[in-house]
């Protein structure tokens, strides 16, 4: 909402300066989004007098008008205006002046005659007047005066942002003035008296008094209507409202002045009586903006005996709209039930100024006040207003009361303010306190509890006046639960392993699938996605992570090693689950660097090693096996399945098929996808062994193994042989030669109780070699 | 043979100095103190002398032998050193080449800011609480005093899913209700709930998915002053003791009264600039006393207890801490961008 400082001043006996107003607004919780000065362009527009008017030598419709500027300069401009003769005083925009429509004036040549600047019409200045093409000035300002003086000087215009609660009662200049009066301790200018409605019959009927508790209708004959008074035009223009027709302007003015929308109908186009009722099923109305509105019984309408003439509280219809020919009007001033108007507004997507007021709730007591204010303004500007018949239906609601609990207010705010101070603050906002009761002002639909009163008191006295304290609850140490602690540890370990954490949005669509992991039946869909490629929630993290790989790979030739630990979303019938998943992806391709890293052919062992390390560090108890079925996008020779302690399949690790990797601009991509992240964890067990004081004996064993065998099988045999002093076993070489596949193991022997002799170790080795021979594995000849 | 005279000593010193390899020095060792060396032979020849002369000359020769040994050893050590240097210099590396840094990754900046906040609140005695991201409309709206058709539902553009009565939660506030339910009437309730939230919005300062941290304290006698004290302590911990704070009335359906906290603008230090629209202040969180309806929905009696709640955006705080003006790159996952967060950035140390 826009707020004019000049307008505000009409409601305050002594208006504070614009800066103080801004501070008051801040304290009351009204956000000032922007402040601007209105009217600066009018400082360039001068009052001049026509001294000569000649026909244009080359154009019948143009004239050459010479005007006198103060002090005594003459300037001749070309004009197409039909008025503006000697002695007339008019407004002149010299070259360089700005007009409200954004034009900047310059000297133009019209039919061979240069014309420096321009003589102005009212419309060109953004106003309305009826003196003809040019705006003839009849006032007392001396020659050379600027137009800004005519409109009362510049104005400060605030752009306010109102929270929904404030919008209930602060969407008007009066509302803001009342807030400022409370916080800055100012006196308000009294409002005009209410319209003394008669109770004429046959004018209107309210069929739905719940939706429309009060309905006022008053008839006027309007005559001599030409344009609105300049002071009102100025205020409307300053807040960006176009001036159109006095009756429309006045209702706009009252809407923003008192926060009370009014509506005017052309009497000649209304067949009485007017009915306030719910629309019939299938009823249609053409609105003022020309659109067709399909009504339903949820909509409240104002209808005459022919059909609807307005969508109540939102927008008038075209049939009974006022026009330039209108001589007699019905002025509607009503109080509607806010939620119904709000719903209709939302249904029809018509957030008109009237709707955003009625939809938030208006002040019932404004019904006769706003009607009288309209009459007063029209009269004051010389419009002949003849009161006709009028009626008001419905009773003014009784102001609500709640109990006054100053102790509770103090204890909720944590202050020791006196009753008097609290009462004073509430008085400022027009709450009336009578013993144990608070009477709530008729426009404060937002207040119903002591907590609401707390807010009012705090706003008026100021949040700064509440001292900062610490809760006196016993201080217990806070905690993360085990599962979350585990997840954080998991993140740290992958970071320590060289992988960068990424955060992706969980939206997905099948159209993005390169690899398919989703289970259609388990997918949760978004009903109103932002875009088609985000129409469902992911059931797997890996596809997203691969997109990250592709995105980075498309940008530069750098290694990519990323992971994400995040929930995925699954449904079972009408329930949703959000299991955490871990996904890791890494480009294995060689890339130019010095010194060289692991060759790309073996790089998958880095990812596998990272998982093994994480497995050990977190005691996950997972194992990796090659004999389970894998997703079809995985490299059949370079992948493993991941099993938990109960041998359930909980993920897979390996290379993507190169054909799939190429879709992400890489030759080889290593991936890990792990479901059921937390629940794979096995119980913490075992103790850390004490270090042995005795020396190690190291033996390297080079074996030729069958091509069908694996290092895993070899390790298994060695471990199963249970050599008594074997401490560790490490692979130190693998290669293939003409004689087969050679594997070299480094075996470390050590005892906790004595120094091992060579012969003791040899006995154990000989036994091992004998066992290996039975599996077709022999010592390699040197 | 007689005593070594000074010429002979000079001969040895000179030859040692001239020797350029250890082999040459070893030859000199043999010549002088080897089995057939000059001093060795002289010592052997002593056996022909009388005991008195033998004793006398023996002392002299032994001293000479020691001295020769020392000279030879010294020279030998010198040469060894020189040879090693020569050898090592052959292994010379270009030490201006950049080292190989340990290959570690980096946590996402949002994780780092989230943990920073969590740790801070853990120290203040808050425990972590969680709720689902696919949430019922009851927890996301009604329980928080946002009934259907309430204007506030329009404030948060909601993603709806094809599960009856479910939405993607628009804030972490539903965890207020869940947290109170989990506490089951015990006091105090003191939780923070970090998590992802979703709104149908996508531009430089709004993401359809972002992260919030919700805080809730419920106990007997909790006041708005306690809210101020707690949040000022948090801001000071987070942004430094010199940070300025101010509170403004605001509106949230689930708090009453509602307040927003501003902190001094980091870009201008409070003098006013474009970032803060000239005010010198930037909003960092919304808060308020827990609405009685919300306490009731969480199973607590608003006549017995009171509470305060607050919610702050992790992205917004990350933008402040790291000085970002666009949050979209945080989700684009350009590694060059993410790895640029590897250096220490401002206060607090992250
Ligand atoms: Zn600033």
């Amino acid at each position: 909402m826009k707020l004019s400082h000049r307008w505000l001043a009409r409601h305050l006996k002594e208006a504070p300066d614009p800066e103080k107003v801004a501070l008051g607004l801040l304290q009351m919780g009204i956000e000032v989004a922007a402040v601007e000065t209105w009217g600066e362009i009018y400082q360039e527009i001068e009052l001049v007098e026509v001294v000569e008017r000649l026909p244009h030598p080359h154009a019948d419709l143009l004239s050459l008008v010479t005007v006198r500027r103060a002090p005594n300069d003459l300037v001749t401009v070309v004009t197409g205006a039909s008025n503006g003769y000697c002695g007339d005083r008019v407004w002149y925009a010299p070259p360089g002046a700005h007009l409200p429509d954004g034009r900047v004036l310059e000297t133009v040549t019209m039919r061979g005659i240069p014309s420096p600047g321009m003589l102005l019409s009212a419309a060109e200045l953004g106003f309305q007047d009826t003196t003809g093409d040019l705006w003839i000035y009849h006032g007392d300002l001396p020659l050379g005066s600027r137009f800004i003086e005519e409109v009362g000087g510049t104005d400060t215009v605030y752009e306010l942002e109102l929270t929904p609660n404030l919008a209930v009662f602060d969407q008007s200049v009066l509302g803001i003035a009342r807030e400022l009066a409370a916080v800055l301790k100012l006196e308000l200018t009294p409002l005009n008296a209410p319209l003394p409605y008669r109770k004429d019959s046959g004018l209107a009927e309210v069929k739905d008094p719940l939706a429309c508790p009060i309905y006022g209708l008053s008839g006027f004959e309007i005559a001599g209507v030409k344009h609105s008074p300049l002071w009102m035009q100025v205020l409307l223009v300053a807040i960006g409202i176009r001036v159109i027709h006095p009756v429309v302007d006045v209702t706009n003015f009252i809407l923003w002045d008192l926060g009370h929308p009014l509506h005017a109908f052309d009497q000649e186009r209304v067949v009485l009586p007017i009915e306030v009722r719910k629309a019939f099923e299938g009823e249609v109305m053409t609105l003022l903006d020309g659109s067709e509105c399909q009504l339903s019984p949820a909509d409240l309408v104002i209808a005459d005996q022919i059909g609807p003439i307005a969508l109540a509280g939102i927008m008038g219809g075209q049939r009974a709209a006022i026009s330039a020919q209108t001589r007699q009007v019905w002025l509607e001033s009503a109080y509607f039930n806010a939620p119904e108007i709000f719903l209709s507004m939302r249904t029809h997507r018509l957030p008109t100024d009237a709707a955003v007021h009625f939809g938030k709730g208006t002040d019932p007591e404004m019904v006769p006040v706003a009607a009288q204010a309209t009459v007063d303004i029209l009269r004051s500007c010389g419009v002949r207003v003849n009161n006709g018949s009028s009626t008001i239906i419905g009773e003014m609601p009784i102001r609500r009361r709640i109990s006054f609990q100053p102790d509770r207010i103090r204890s909720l705010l944590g202050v020791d303010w006196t009753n008097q101070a609290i009462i004073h603050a509430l008085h400022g906002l027009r709450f009336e306190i009578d013993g144990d009761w608070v009477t709530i002002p008729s426009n404060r639909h937002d207040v119903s509890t002591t907590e609401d009163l707390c807010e009012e008191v705090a706003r008026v006295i100021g949040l700064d006046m509440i001292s900062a304290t610490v809760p006196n609850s016993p201080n217990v140490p806070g905690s993360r639960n085990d599962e979350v602690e585990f997840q954080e540890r998991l993140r740290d370990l992958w970071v320590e392993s060289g992988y960068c954490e990424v955060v992706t949005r969980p939206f997905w669509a099948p159209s993005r699938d390169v690899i398919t992991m989703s289970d259609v039946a388990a997918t949760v869909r978004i009903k109103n996605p932002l875009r088609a490629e985000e129409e469902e929630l992911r059931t797997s993290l890996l596809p997203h992570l691969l997109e990250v790989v592709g995105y980075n790979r498309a940008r530069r030739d750098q290694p990519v090693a990323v992971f994400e630990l995040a929930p995925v979303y699954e449904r079972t019938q009408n329930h949703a689950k959000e299991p955490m998943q871990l996904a890791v992806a890494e480009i294995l391709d060689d890339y130019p660097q010095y010194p060289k890293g692991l060759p790309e052919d073996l790089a998958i062992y880095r990812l596998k090693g990272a998982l093994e390390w994480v497995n050990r560090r977190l005691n996950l108890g997972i194992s990796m096996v090659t004999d389970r079925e894998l997703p079809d996008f995985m490299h059949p020779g370079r992948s493993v399945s991941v099993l938990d302690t109960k041998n359930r399949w909980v993920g897979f690790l390996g290379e993507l098929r190169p054909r799939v990797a190429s879709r992400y601009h890489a030759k080889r991509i290593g991936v890990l996808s792990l479901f059921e992240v937390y629940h794979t964890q096995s119980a913490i067990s075992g103790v850390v062994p004490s270090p042995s004081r005795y020396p190690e004996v190291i033996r390297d064993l080079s074996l030729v193994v069958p091509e069908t065998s694996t290092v895993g099988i070899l390790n298994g045999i060695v471990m199963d042989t249970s050599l008594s002093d074997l401490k560790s076993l490490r692979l130190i070489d693998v290669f293939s030669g003409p004689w087969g596949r050679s594997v070299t193991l480094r075996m470390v022997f050590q005892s906790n109780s004595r120094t091992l002799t060579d012969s003791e170790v040899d006995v154990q080795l000989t036994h091992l070699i004998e066992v290996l021979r039975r599996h077709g594995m022999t010592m390699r000849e040197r | 043979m007689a005593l070594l005279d000074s010429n002979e000593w000079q001969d040895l010193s000179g030859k040692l100095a001239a020797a350029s390899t250890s082999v040459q020095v070893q030859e000199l060792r043999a010549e002088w103190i080897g089995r057939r060396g000059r001093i060795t032979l002289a010592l052997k020849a002593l056996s022909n002398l009388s005991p008195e002369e033998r004793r006398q000359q023996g002392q002299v020769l032994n001293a000479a032998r020691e001295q020769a040994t020392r000279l030879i050893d010294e020279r030998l050590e010198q040469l060894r050193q020189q040879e090693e240097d020569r050898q090592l210099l052959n292994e010379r590396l270009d030490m201006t080449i950049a080292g190989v840094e340990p290959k570690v990754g980096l946590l996402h900046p949002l994780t780092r800011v989230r943990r920073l906040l969590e740790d801070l609140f853990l120290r203040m005695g808050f425990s972590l609480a969680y709720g689902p991201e696919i949430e019922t409309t009851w927890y996301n709206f009604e329980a928080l005093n946002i009934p259907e058709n309430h204007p506030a539902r329009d404030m948060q553009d909601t993603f709806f899913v094809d599960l009856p009565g479910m939405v993607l939660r628009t804030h972490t506030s539903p965890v207020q209700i869940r947290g109170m339910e989990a506490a089951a009437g015990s006091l105090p309730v003191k939780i923070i709930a970090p998590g992802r939230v979703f709104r149908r919005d996508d531009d430089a300062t709004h993401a359809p998915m972002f992260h919030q941290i919700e805080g809730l304290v419920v106990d007997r006698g909790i006041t708005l002053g306690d809210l101020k004290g707690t949040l000022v302590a948090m801001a000071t911990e987070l942004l430094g003791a010199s940070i300025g704070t101010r509170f403004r009335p605001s509106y949230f359906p689930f708090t009453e009264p509602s307040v927003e906290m501003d902190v001094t603008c980091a870009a201008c230090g409070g003098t006013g600039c474009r970032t803060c629209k000239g005010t010198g202040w930037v909003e960092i969180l919304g808060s308020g006393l827990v609405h009685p309806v919300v306490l009731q929905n969480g199973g607590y009696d608003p006549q017995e207890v009171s509470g305060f709640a607050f919610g702050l955006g992790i992205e917004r705080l990350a933008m402040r801490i790291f000085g970002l003006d666009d949050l979209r790159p945080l989700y684009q996952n350009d590694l060059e961008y993410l790895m640029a967060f590897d250096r220490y950035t401002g206060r607090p140390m992250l």
Side-chain angles (χ1 to χ4, degrees):
Chain A
M1 158 184 174
K2 283 195 167 182
L3 173 71
S4 143
H5 184 267
R6 186 183 350 243
W7 195 336
L8 180 69
R10 289 170 55 88
H11 285 286
L12 294 168
K13 288 207 166 146
E14 271 177 70
D17 65 46
E19 299 229 326
K20 193 145 187 231
V21 167
L23 284 176
L25 293 172
L26 178 74
Q27 180 168 336
M28 296 309 275
I30 299 164
E31 190 186 336
V32 177
V35 185
E36 54 187 50
T37 303
W38 175 86
E40 273 172 333
I41 56 170
Y42 295 134
Q43 271 159 357
E44 300 161 337
I45 311 300
E46 295 174 33
L47 188 59
V48 296
E49 188 178 300
V50 178
V51 294
E52 190 181 41
R53 182 171 178 128
L54 296 171
H56 192 291
H58 314 303
D60 291 346
L61 293 173
L62 297 179
S63 308
L64 305 184
V65 176
T66 303
V67 297
R68 183 164 67 234
R69 303 171 67 180
N72 217 354
D73 295 345
L74 294 181
V75 62
T76 300
V77 294
V78 180
T79 180
S82 61
N83 63 349
Y85 291 92
C86 282
D88 282 346
R89 299 212 280 169
V90 294
W91 297 105
Y92 166 64
H98 296 71
L99 295 186
D101 64 8
R103 270 185 290 170
V104 183
L105 292 183
E106 48 195 37
T107 301
V108 290
T109 301
M110 292 170 85
R111 294 291 186 96
I113 308 241
S115 178
M118 170 176 187
L119 302 179
L120 301 171
S121 68
E124 279 156 343
L125 282 164
F127 294 91
Q128 274 199 332
D129 192 78
T130 45
T131 53
D133 290 344
L134 297 182
W135 195 353
I136 310 294
Y137 179 70
H138 297 293
D140 300 328
L141 290 172
L143 214 59
S145 296
R146 301 304 160 116
F147 185 68
I148 190 69
E149 298 167 54
E150 171 67 358
V151 297
T154 56
D155 192 4
T156 303
V157 177
Y158 306 87
E159 175 75 49
L160 305 183
E161 298 215 339
L162 297 175
T163 49
N165 60 328
L166 296 183
V168 172
F169 55 93
D170 271 351
Q171 277 193 104
S172 66
V173 182
L174 173 63
I176 302 290
R178 283 170 168 169
E179 296 269 85
L180 290 172
V183 69
L184 301 175
K185 307 193 172 36
L186 305 169
E187 208 179 327
L188 289 161
T189 313
L191 296 174
N192 58 268
L195 179 80
Y197 278 105
R198 305 188 336 203
K199 288 270 186 180
D200 293 331
S201 59
L203 298 185
E205 289 166 32
V206 174
K207 307 267 188 188
D208 190 338
L210 287 178
C212 178
I214 304 175
Y215 192 77
L217 199 67
S218 47
F220 302 116
E221 184 183 331
I222 47 174
V225 168
K226 291 288 193 280
H227 56 85
S228 299
L230 188 59
W231 65 263
M232 193 169 84
Q233 292 194 33
V234 168
L235 294 179
L236 288 170
V237 168
I239 64 163
I241 294 177
R242 227 156 48 86
V243 287
I244 300 161
H245 178 283
V247 174
V248 178
D249 296 346
V250 169
T251 54
N252 277 337
F253 177 79
I254 300 290
L255 183 147
W256 289 110
D257 191 50
L258 305 178
H260 189 85
L262 298 162
H263 194 74
F265 301 104
D266 187 334
Q267 282 197 13
E268 284 170 26
R269 307 205 218 167
V270 174
V271 182
L272 292 176
I274 281 174
E275 288 177 2
V276 184
R277 60 164 168 85
K278 287 291 166 62
F280 304 128
E281 191 68 60
E283 241 175 344
V284 180
M285 172 172 50
T286 306
L287 294 173
L288 266 180
D289 63 3
S291 65
E292 289 266 296
C293 187
Q294 287 286 342
L295 301 165
S296 83
D299 297 314
L300 188 70
V301 296
I302 313 299
D304 69 356
Q305 294 308 302
I306 300 170
I309 52 175
L311 185 54
I314 297 175
M315 195 186 275
Q318 228 164 34
R319 182 161 61 80
I322 57 160
S323 68
Q325 287 74 47
T326 301
R327 309 298 298 169
Q328 290 182 306
V329 299
W330 288 120
L331 182 72
E332 166 195 293
S333 182
Y335 173 58
F336 298 111
N337 180 27
E340 303 206 25
I341 305 299
F342 183 81
L343 256 183
S344 268
M345 171 185 86
R346 238 185 17 188
T347 309
H348 298 291
R349 296 207 173 85
L350 288 170
T352 59
D353 286 346
V356 298
H357 281 82
F358 279 128
K360 289 290 182 186
T362 51
D363 185 350
E365 293 177 8
M366 279 296 149
V367 168
V369 175
Q372 184 62 47
T374 309
V375 177
D376 290 350
I377 291 172
L378 287 177
R379 266 215 191 96
S380 75
C381 59
V383 177
R384 248 185 27 252
V385 179
N386 295 318
N387 283 17
S389 27
S390 70
T391 190
I392 186 159
I393 301 165
E395 295 294 320
M396 200 57 67
I398 293 165
R399 292 187 186 178
R400 287 172 301 129
R401 297 205 306 170
I402 57 172
S403 66
F404 180 51
Q405 300 173 307
D407 285 340
R408 185 155 169 78
I409 291 176
R410 276 187 287 266
S411 75
L412 282 170
L413 294 177
V415 296
D416 56 3
W417 299 339
T418 61
N419 280 8
Q420 207 189 350
I422 291 170
I423 290 171
H424 187 75
L426 290 171
H427 268 162
L429 289 170
R430 305 185 310 124
F431 289 84
E432 286 160 20
I433 289 95
D434 177 15
D436 291 341
W437 294 98
V438 183
T439 305
I440 299 167
S442 53
N443 64 332
R444 295 302 303 268
H445 307 293
D446 61 314
V447 173
S448 56
T449 63
T450 299
E451 285 76 9
D452 297 329
L453 292 180
C454 273
E455 179 160 280
E456 299 308 302
V457 173
R459 286 198 312 143
V460 173
I461 296 181
L463 290 169
D464 291 345
M465 303 305 288
I466 300 172
S467 34
T469 51
V470 176
N472 52 14
S473 312
N475 212 346
V476 284
S479 64
R480 288 189 170 97
N481 67 34
D482 290 348
E483 183 169 350
V484 172
E485 200 73 64
F486 169 83
Q487 289 163 4
E488 299 295 12
R489 196 73 197 96
L490 194 57
R491 283 195 180 90
D492 286 340
L493 289 171
W494 282 99
V495 164
E496 288 163 25
S497 308
Y499 297 82
C500 193
E501 189 194 20
V502 299
V503 173
T504 57
R505 293 170 176 174
F507 309 112
W508 190 255
S511 60
R512 288 161 73 177
D513 280 342
V514 172
I515 59 169
T516 302
M517 289 186 72
S518 59
D519 174 355
V520 176
T523 304
V524 179
R525 282 178 188 77
I526 295 172
K527 286 189 192 164
N528 55 340
L530 272 174
R531 38 189 85 87
E533 58 280 18
E534 297 182 348
E535 67 187 13
E536 60 186 41
L537 293 173
R538 63 180 165 211
T539 54
S540 169
L541 273 185
L542 187 57
H544 254 130
L545 216 57
L546 289 171
E547 284 191 348
V548 171
V549 170
Y551 176 83
N552 279 280
R553 187 65 177 188
R555 300 186 143 224
R556 63 188 77 86
D557 184 16
Q558 285 282 315
V560 175
V562 290
F563 77 96
E564 183 170 17
L565 177 64
V568 298
Y569 309 83
E570 290 167 6
R571 73 187 299 157
T572 44
Q573 267 116 35
N574 285 335
H575 297 282
K577 278 197 308 175
E578 299 169 19
M580 289 297 271
Q581 280 196 0
L582 171 78
V584 187
E586 177 180 15
I587 291 180
L588 308 177
D589 303 6
D590 275 339
Y591 81 105
Q593 66 170 338
Y594 180 85
K596 291 221 173 302
L598 207 56
E600 68 181 35
D601 205 39
L602 301 178
I604 188 63
Y605 288 124
R606 191 166 54 221
L607 178 55
K608 184 163 183 279
L611 179 59
E612 284 160 353
W613 183 67
V614 170
N615 187 23
R616 194 166 68 247
R617 294 282 286 133
L618 289 177
N619 211 32
L620 294 180
I622 58 174
S623 53
M624 291 180 246
V625 299
T626 51
D627 58 355
R628 300 283 181 112
E629 204 177 327
L630 286 156
D632 57 5
F633 51 81
M634 294 300 286
H635 190 308
R638 294 187 171 190
S639 301
V640 290
S641 291
V642 181
L643 307 183
D644 70 1
T645 47
K646 295 180 182 125
N647 282 339
R648 285 176 308 192
W649 191 76
V650 291
F652 53 88
L653 176 149
E655 285 187 22
L656 290 181
R657 284 177 189 267
R659 172 173 53 77
V660 177
S662 70
R663 297 285 297 274
Y664 303 103
H665 319 293
K667 276 193 287 184
R668 296 186 181 278
I669 297 176
V671 297
L672 163 65
S673 187
L674 202 55
F675 331 122
E676 305 239 351
V677 180
Y678 177 59
H679 299 287
T680 56
Q681 194 184 26
S682 60
I684 306 295
S685 64
V687 288
V688 176
S690 308
S692 169
R693 291 184 289 119
Y694 302 95
E696 295 178 341
V697 177
I698 296 173
R699 295 293 167 86
D700 290 346
L701 196 62
S702 291
L703 299 161
V704 176
V705 302
E707 284 294 344
T708 53
S709 195
T710 63
V711 172
I713 293 173
L714 171 58
N715 282 342
I717 296 169
V718 175
M719 296 320 289
D720 286 350
T721 312
S722 309
L723 304 179
S724 54
D725 294 314
L726 181 63
K727 188 177 85 173
S728 69
L729 182 67
R730 184 151 60 92
L731 181 69
I732 58 174
D733 199 17
V734 180
F735 67 95
S736 295
W739 19 256
R741 188 155 182 249
S742 163
V743 174
T744 305
L745 299 176
R746 171 155 294 182
M747 309 178 72
V748 179
F749 294 86
Q750 189 182 35
S751 162
N752 282 325
S753 56
R754 64 188 194 287
T755 300
L756 293 177
T757 63
D758 280 352
S759 59
E760 277 176 303
V761 172
D762 287 342
V763 168
Q764 297 186 31
L765 263 184
T766 310
H767 171 61
L768 175 63
I769 289 163
E770 180 50 37
V771 172
L772 288 170
R773 201 193 318 279
R774 279 184 249 131
H775 288 90
M777 300 176 180
T778 55
M779 293 285 288
R780 199 175 79 215
E781 304 295 328
R782 287 188 188 267
Chain B
M1 173 146 180
L3 281 170
L4 282 93
D5 59 23
S6 59
N7 280 341
E8 281 176 302
W9 277 121
Q10 280 201 337
D11 184 34
L12 176 58
S13 307
K15 281 182 173 159
L16 278 174
S20 58
T21 67
S22 52
V23 176
Q24 288 169 337
V25 178
Q26 295 296 7
E27 279 168 5
L28 286 169
R29 183 195 294 274
E31 183 189 336
W32 285 81
I33 52 175
R35 269 177 15 156
R36 298 190 160 278
R38 288 162 67 173
I39 297 176
T40 317
L41 289 176
L43 275 166
K44 277 183 183 164
L46 289 181
S47 57
N48 303 327
L49 299 179
S50 66
E52 180 55 22
E53 277 180 318
R54 200 186 318 164
R55 193 185 56 81
Q56 218 177 32
Q57 289 200 17
Q59 265 178 1
V60 174
L61 278 172
N62 274 323
R65 185 192 154 88
E66 261 170 46
Q67 195 182 353
T69 307
R70 192 167 46 78
L71 283 172
I72 289 162
D73 285 351
E74 273 174 15
R75 181 61 183 151
L76 208 53
E77 182 52 32
Q78 243 175 20
L79 285 173
R80 221 192 324 266
Q81 192 75 40
Q82 283 172 10
E83 272 165 46
E84 191 181 76
D85 282 358
R86 245 193 323 275
Q87 242 170 40
L88 292 182
L89 283 171
N90 282 339
E91 299 178 11
R92 184 201 307 261
L93 282 183
D94 181 349
M95 289 308 284
T96 64
I97 289 176
V100 179
E101 290 187 10
K103 190 181 176 294
V104 291
L106 207 61
L107 284 172
H108 194 278
L110 291 173
T111 302
R112 290 156 74 189
V113 174
R114 172 178 59 76
R115 284 194 188 175
L116 172 89
L117 283 162
E118 290 173 2
D119 290 344
L120 195 154
F121 282 110
L122 283 168
R123 287 201 294 280
M124 292 168 79
F126 287 77
S127 286
L128 291 173
Y130 297 88
E133 294 171 18
I134 300 174
E135 184 58 281
T136 64
T137 50
W138 160 259
Y139 280 109
N140 197 69
F141 294 122
E142 283 90 354
L144 293 165
N145 196 30
I146 315 174
E148 190 136 17
N149 297 323
H150 189 288
R153 277 207 188 184
D154 287 359
M155 285 165 75
Q156 308 178 348
D157 215 343
T158 312
F159 280 114
F160 295 92
V161 297
D162 64 345
L163 290 164
M166 307 283 255
V167 295
L168 295 185
R169 65 174 175 191
T170 56
H171 46 191
T172 42
S173 308
V175 189
Q176 288 187 29
I177 305 289
R178 290 180 176 277
M180 283 189 275
E181 285 174 350
S186 65
L187 291 172
V189 181
K190 204 170 174 187
I191 54 170
I192 52 160
R196 300 152 173 260
V197 301
F198 303 86
R199 293 196 197 164
R200 224 177 148 277
D201 220 344
D202 202 355
D203 59 41
T205 51
H206 298 90
M209 178 202 86
F210 58 103
H211 299 76
Q212 282 187 336
I213 285 197
E214 190 84 8
L216 174 71
V217 176
V218 176
D219 203 353
R220 292 195 173 81
I222 295 292
T223 70
L224 196 62
D226 294 339
L227 176 153
K228 279 183 74 176
T230 304
L231 294 181
V232 168
M234 179 215 76
T236 310
E237 271 283 294
L238 203 59
L239 303 168
S242 61
I243 197 77
T245 53
R246 79 172 183 190
F247 290 82
R248 284 179 293 107
S250 186
Y251 173 77
F252 306 101
F254 36 94
T255 50
E256 184 74 38
S258 302
V259 298
E260 279 179 326
M261 183 167 85
D262 295 342
V263 295
T264 38
C265 171
C268 64
T271 54
C273 69
R274 244 184 35 172
T275 310
C276 56
K277 291 189 204 147
T279 61
W281 297 95
V282 194
E283 184 222 317
I284 66 162
L285 61 80
S287 60
L289 292 185
V290 182
H291 197 286
V293 167
V294 175
L295 284 173
Q296 242 153 24
N297 288 335
Y300 287 82
D301 179 357
Q303 294 303 319
E304 290 289 311
V305 302
S306 54
F308 67 78
F310 55 89
L312 60 95
I314 294 179
E315 275 81 356
R316 190 178 291 197
L317 201 63
M319 286 170 85
R320 175 178 176 113
I321 287 174
F322 294 111
L324 317 176
D325 56 5
D326 188 346
L327 59 78
R328 283 173 294 197
L330 289 174
Y331 305 102
Q332 269 158 1
N333 295 306
D334 182 329
L335 286 188
E336 193 169 273
Y337 176 77
L338 289 182
M339 289 309 284
F341 287 87
D342 62 353
R343 64 212 63 191
Y344 159 76
T345 311
R347 194 203 141 74
M349 181 124 35
L350 263 182

